[in-house]
Amino acid sequence: MQDTPELGPLSQWIGRSETVHDLIGATPIKALAATLDHDPLPAAQAGDEIPPLWHWLYFLPLHRQSGIGPDGHARRGGFLPPVPLPRRMWAGGQFEFRSALRVGDAVARTSTIDDVTVKEGRTGTLVFVKVRHEVSSNGAAAPALVEFHDIVYREAQRPDDVAPPPQAAPTGATWRREIVPDDVLLFRYSALTFNGHRIHYDRRYVTETEGYPGLIVHGPLIATLLMDLLRRELPQARVETFRFKAVRATFDLHPFHVNGRLEPDGKTVRLWANDHEGWLTMDATATLA
């Protein structure tokens, strides 16, 4: 990447790494299943495989209260580069599910700053940070899961900002589920992932400070709902890879839909989310074993 005088030498953070440890307990599994309205709730006994993406319930960011910034995230610096832009969003992710993670596993996650890129967009400067996570279980040398996490930092909202043109959502869904993103759903997911980002629960902050029309539905929650739709429709399938890209913010002002279909090759699953107007908000693809 090229450094800019305004953003400083962010490239110095590339290659930085940290490892954290956790234990896959049963209670977060049951709590997320309840939040996603599963019936019956899973037993989540020792040895049970956890669903894809539910590893987000672990390795939670346990920052001290005194270290939290005005947006509810940890103050800039530390492991992630100190990007001096006020708005931070989860832009997308790519996953390889190599072996199962199970209730009772002792797990380790090694995270590395893979890349930092500065770009100029229609709303000003954008900084993209790509983090590689490798999750291993019970002391295994090879990771059970490899994840690339894409984070985007943006400038503050300006009165003359022009929103990017919306994209029409795909047609031809064979699976479809309506989601009502009320305050309780967003609060419960924030609590389960220990996510203090105020854009998900503080309506005054998100509308007056960041300039959005309503509470923002978590990108990882939408991705989890897409994967949950796949599991509801193909309960015996094993997912090998998954990738998603956030296309447009989803707000709590209206219901939205998660959609999917199995492609003719019998291995590729096309998944997407759309808002109440039919605009694409998240685009995703899964491949099955």
Side-chain angles (χ1 to χ4, degrees):
M1 61 159 281
Q2 290 185 341
D3 297 324
T4 66
E6 296 81 8
L7 295 174
L10 297 178
S11 61
Q12 293 180 5
W13 262 255
I14 295 176
R16 292 197 179 196
S17 182
E18 68 173 12
T19 299
V20 294
H21 299 267
D22 209 339
L23 182 69
I24 296 185
T27 298
I29 299 296
K30 296 177 181 179
L32 181 56
T35 301
L36 300 183
D37 211 22
H38 284 200
D39 184 23
L41 296 182
Q45 297 174 336
D48 287 351
E49 184 173 345
I50 72 169
L53 302 187
W54 290 34
H55 69 287
W56 283 332
L57 299 173
Y58 305 96
F59 310 111
L60 301 184
L62 304 180
H63 302 288
R64 293 175 56 195
Q65 185 67 20
S66 57
I68 299 299
D71 62 354
H73 276 305
R75 296 185 186 279
R76 306 299 169 87
F79 173 66
L80 289 174
V83 179
L85 297 176
R87 294 194 289 172
R88 169 180 164 179
M89 302 286 287
W90 194 311
Q94 307 88 46
F95 306 81
E96 297 177 14
F97 302 100
R98 299 182 178 180
S99 58
L101 296 173
R102 301 181 183 277
V103 175
D105 283 358
V107 287
R109 186 189 70 188
T110 298
S111 303
T112 305
I113 305 297
D114 194 66
D115 194 21
V116 182
T117 305
V118 181
K119 297 182 179 180
E120 292 298 323
R122 68 176 64 211
T123 58
T125 301
L126 303 171
V127 176
F128 294 89
V129 178
K130 182 179 284 289
V131 184
R132 178 186 176 96
H133 301 293
E134 294 187 350
V135 179
S136 59
S137 63
N138 299 324
L145 165 67
V146 177
E147 171 188 358
F148 287 94
H149 173 194
D150 296 322
I151 308 167
V152 60
Y153 297 83
R154 303 175 59 191
E155 295 182 14
Q157 182 89 356
R158 296 177 300 197
D160 58 346
D161 280 352
V162 178
Q167 302 178 38
T171 57
T174 52
W175 318 322
R176 184 174 173 86
R177 184 181 176 207
E178 182 179 81
I179 307 297
V180 178
D182 61 23
D183 305 53
V184 177
L185 173 64
L186 302 190
F187 168 79
R188 293 178 87 181
Y189 190 76
S190 287
L192 279 169
T193 55
F194 207 51
N195 183 351
H197 199 182
R198 293 169 66 183
I199 63 174
H200 303 304
Y201 61 85
D202 187 336
R203 194 173 304 277
R204 181 174 180 179
Y205 171 83
V206 77
T207 56
E208 296 182 7
T209 301
E210 298 218 8
Y212 293 108
L215 297 177
I216 298 177
V217 182
H218 315 65
L221 173 57
I222 300 174
T224 299
L225 287 163
L226 290 173
M227 189 67 77
D228 187 63
L229 178 69
L230 187 160
R231 293 181 59 241
R232 289 171 186 261
E233 299 296 335
L234 300 174
Q236 303 304 316
R238 187 174 74 83
V239 177
E240 283 190 337
T241 68
F242 178 69
R243 62 175 53 239
F244 76 92
K245 179 181 180 182
V247 178
R248 184 180 175 91
T250 299
F251 302 102
D252 72 329
L253 307 176
H254 304 279
F256 66 94
H257 288 92
V258 290
N259 313 268
R261 64 170 180 256
L262 180 63
E263 300 289 26
D265 63 6
K267 185 176 180 179
T268 304
V269 180
R270 180 76 190 279
L271 298 159
W272 67 93
N274 64 267
D275 63 18
H276 70 291
E277 295 182 299
W279 301 124
L280 180 68
T281 57
M282 183 171 287
D283 199 13
T285 302
T287 58
L288 307 180

